[in-house]
Structure formats: structure tokens, C-alpha cells
Amino acid sequence: LYTAPDSCQGRCKEPYHEEDECHCNAKCEKHHNCCEDYHTHCSPEGFSSSHDAIMDEDLLHISEQLYHADHNRAKPTDIAINPQYQVSPDQTGDQEDHSPEPLYQYVNEELFSKPTYASFIKLLDNYQRATGREEDVTAEELREQDNFLKEVMKTELMKKLFTFLHKKNRYDSEQEFVADLKEMWFGLYSRGSGEQDSSGFEHVFSGEVKKGKVSGFHNWIRFYLLEKRGLVDYFSHSYDGPWNTYPDVLGMQFSWDGFYKEVGSAFIGSSPEFEFGLYTLCFIARPGRACHLSLGGHGLSIQTYTWTKSTYGNGRNYIATAYVISS
């Protein structure tokens, strides 16, 4: 039941978006830009009734609910960051270290003993960062995946997300939802030359190195832990906002063990379930395009992309990437 960019499945009466490949609203026939399966899904007897479509207003409403349900986010006293130098957008590729001090001055590591944080951190060392190198997934690592999913699903935030997707006819049961989360996030695919070397979770949260550059790596906890060990060197930031508390958002330039990241956007101070839930919501509702949300009254967008070279189940898509962008 994914919203595919070239299909009307789950998209009937969806508002017009210029970036869409094809359209599913009432005017698409007049403009000759309907998706090929428009009549299959959007006629009165079609599968996707209009109340199953995830409208822009639905996203604004559910994202506010998820924001307010993020009870595990950092408090203002839990983190002190030192963003230092801000570069202009045309300077992000300069690879110059403008910030002599670390980004993180202080993090209250008691946060990391919370079950969702602890189970998340255990996943971060399960990956070989170089693309083209086959991932060897052990039984213990599979248990760690299951444990992380079990812990996040105990949270009010993820329960609210499931309730929303259930009402939108995307999942029949929480068990089905969790099984699909495991596939879309942890299922392996090949970014190299045939090796099962990547997954959505590895790319987004842990980070990869491809062709000499950092790829993915959009998580503040991962950044902090590596910076503390001297493996990440913070260079500058190109975006800061929209909050003056946590979660914050930074667009960062940094070096990871000598490999450069030109713009690595990340929420700062949010819980693992907050990012995991928002990215999942946007991947299901708006794959391949900007997903416009409202978080604490602030407009924010998330961009996701599907992995197009392989699928799982009945043609379902893996997550290629997901990251926060400014509205």
C-alpha cells in the first residue's frame, strides 16, 4: 500500500504538486496528466477511497502529534552545542575547517540509558561504512534490530504513527507494521556492484562512504559519539533552525576519518523514535519528494528517496535515504 510516485494507489484526490510524475486529483483528466492507474484506483468502485489518501493537512496534523509525543527528546540542559562558523551555500564544498572547537560542548549521556537510545546505539556498529563491501549480518545483530523496533513501538509517538497509518488503510495490524519497518529500514540492497552492502538504516543513521565521500549520516547521536572519539571533525554549518531549543536542526560540513560531507543535515536533540517515525511517515506518504510537516508550529520538510533497483515483498520499496530540509 505504498504511495508510489507513478501510481494513484493511496493518492486519490491528493492536492496538485508540481514535482509529481503524474496526478490523481479531479482535474488531471482535463490536463491529461493522470497516472495510468487513475481510473483503477480513483473511480467510485476503485480500491483507494478518498479517505485513504494522505492529504497535506493530514501530514501537518499527525506531525504535530508526533512532535508533542516525543517525550524522550533532550531537554535544554542536556546538550550544549557550539556551532561556530556559518558558511554561505556556495562555500559548503570548500572543505575548509572553519571551526577549531568541537560541535558538542556537553551531552548528558544519561539520555543514552533510555531504552530507545540504548537499543539504537547498539545498531550503529553493525555496519561496514564502505559501499561495495558485503554486510555480514549476525544473529545478534538481527536481535538488536528486533529489540530496537520493540522499544520504539512501546513509545506513544510510534503508537500514534501506527494508529494514523492504520486509519489510512496502510496496515491491518501493528505486527504487519513492525514487520514492514524491519524490511524497509534494515533490508539489504546493493549500492555497489551486486554486494548486499547497504540499507536505509545504515545510510541514514550510521553513514556510509562512497567514492571517497560521506554518504547519508544524518544523526546527531552518531555524530556526537564519533566526535568524542576524535573520528569526526566539525568544520562549519550552513543552516541553523528553526528552534532555539531541542530538537534543533543543523546543516553541517564535517570530515569523518578524512572523508568529507558537504551538507549533512540532522535533527539535534531529538529521540531516535522521533526521527525514525517522521522519516517513516514521509517515506510512506511522500516518497521521492518534499514532505511538508508542522513541528511545534514551525514548518519543516523532509526529503526521502526510494531505492529503485530492487524491491521486497509484493513490489515494496526500500528506503534509499531520508533527511530534514528547511521549509
Side-chain angles (χ1 to χ4, degrees):
L1 295 177
Y2 280 90
T3 308
D6 59 350
S7 170
C8 283
Q9 192 167 349
R11 289 177 55 200
C12 298
K13 298 187 180 179
E14 186 180 84
Y16 175 83
H17 289 278
E18 187 176 330
E19 64 264 34
D20 285 352
E21 291 181 22
C22 56
H23 305 277
C24 307
N25 55 59
K27 294 182 180 177
C28 71
E29 290 185 284
K30 176 184 172 184
H31 294 290
H32 305 291
N33 57 10
C34 297
C35 299
E36 287 186 9
D37 59 2
Y38 172 74
H39 289 288
T40 303
H41 295 299
C42 302
S43 59
E45 65 277 6
F47 164 76
S48 293
S49 58
S50 60
H51 73 265
D52 288 342
I54 298 176
M55 312 293 278
D56 287 354
E57 297 78 17
D58 295 327
L59 288 174
L60 298 178
H61 183 68
I62 183 60
S63 56
E64 281 291 355
Q65 285 192 319
L66 300 183
Y67 175 80
H68 289 290
D70 186 17
H71 306 305
N72 286 329
R73 74 171 70 125
K75 297 179 175 64
T77 53
D78 286 331
I79 301 177
I81 60 171
N82 182 16
Q84 299 165 79
Y85 193 83
Q86 182 165 2
V87 296
S88 62
D90 60 355
Q91 290 179 290
T92 59
D94 290 352
Q95 302 194 33
E96 289 186 36
D97 187 353
H98 296 285
S99 303
E101 300 297 322
L103 174 62
Y104 287 92
Q105 292 179 313
Y106 169 75
V107 171
N108 176 10
E109 294 194 9
E110 288 183 14
L111 280 172
F112 300 161
S113 64
K114 293 178 183 247
T116 57
Y117 285 80
S119 58
F120 173 81
I121 289 169
K122 282 194 171 177
L123 294 167
L124 295 175
D125 64 358
N126 289 353
Y127 301 101
Q128 303 198 52
R129 69 181 180 187
T131 57
R133 293 176 63 183
E134 185 99 16
E135 293 292 345
D136 179 21
V137 183
T138 66
E140 182 182 359
E141 289 170 355
L142 289 173
R143 284 194 296 273
E144 289 174 354
Q145 293 172 11
D146 290 336
N147 189 52
F148 171 71
L149 292 170
K150 181 184 78 173
E151 292 299 342
V152 296
M153 286 308 300
K154 291 177 183 177
T155 65
E156 181 188 347
L157 188 153
M158 288 298 288
K159 288 189 179 300
K160 282 185 181 294
L161 176 59
F162 167 70
T163 299
F164 172 78
L165 294 172
H166 178 62
K167 285 180 180 175
K168 291 296 183 180
N169 200 26
R170 296 309 195 271
Y171 298 99
D172 290 333
S173 66
E174 189 172 304
Q175 184 180 5
E176 182 192 355
F177 179 47
V178 172
D180 199 38
L181 286 172
K182 185 167 183 178
E183 288 290 345
M184 77 167 82
W185 278 106
F186 295 103
L188 293 173
Y189 50 81
S190 175
R191 288 185 194 264
S193 52
E195 303 87 354
Q196 299 292 88
D197 62 347
S198 187
S199 68
F201 186 92
E202 177 187 8
H203 182 86
V204 172
F205 294 107
S206 187
E208 299 180 292
V209 171
K210 184 175 183 180
K211 296 181 179 176
K213 291 184 178 181
V214 176
S215 181
F217 197 143
H218 299 286
N219 179 254
W220 76 271
I221 300 168
R222 173 70 160 165
F223 190 102
Y224 166 74
L225 292 172
L226 289 177
E227 186 180 59
K228 183 182 173 185
R229 291 166 55 195
L231 298 174
V232 160
D233 185 3
Y234 171 74
F235 281 17
S236 57
H237 66 284
S238 50
Y239 176 78
D240 183 3
W243 297 281
N244 55 11
T245 181
Y246 299 111
D248 200 358
V249 176
L250 276 182
M252 296 174 287
Q253 293 69 51
F254 60 89
S255 170
W256 178 18
D257 230 4
F259 300 101
Y260 187 63
K261 181 68 176 181
E262 188 168 328
V263 182
S265 63
F267 287 105
I268 311 288
S270 54
S271 69
E273 61 266 29
F274 178 76
E275 293 175 62
F276 192 71
L278 285 190
Y279 293 155
T280 298
L281 169 67
C282 286
F283 180 69
I284 291 172
R286 300 287 186 270
R289 53 200 167 104
C291 172
H292 304 301
L293 309 176
S294 178
L295 302 171
H298 295 279
L300 205 74
S301 301
I302 284 171
Q303 179 73 47
T304 65
Y305 287 103
T306 59
W307 185 253
T308 57
K309 296 178 183 176
S310 57
T311 58
Y312 67 90
N314 189 21
R316 292 190 171 192
N317 292 311
Y318 298 106
I319 291 175
T321 193
Y323 53 88
V324 59
I325 54 179
S326 59
S327 265

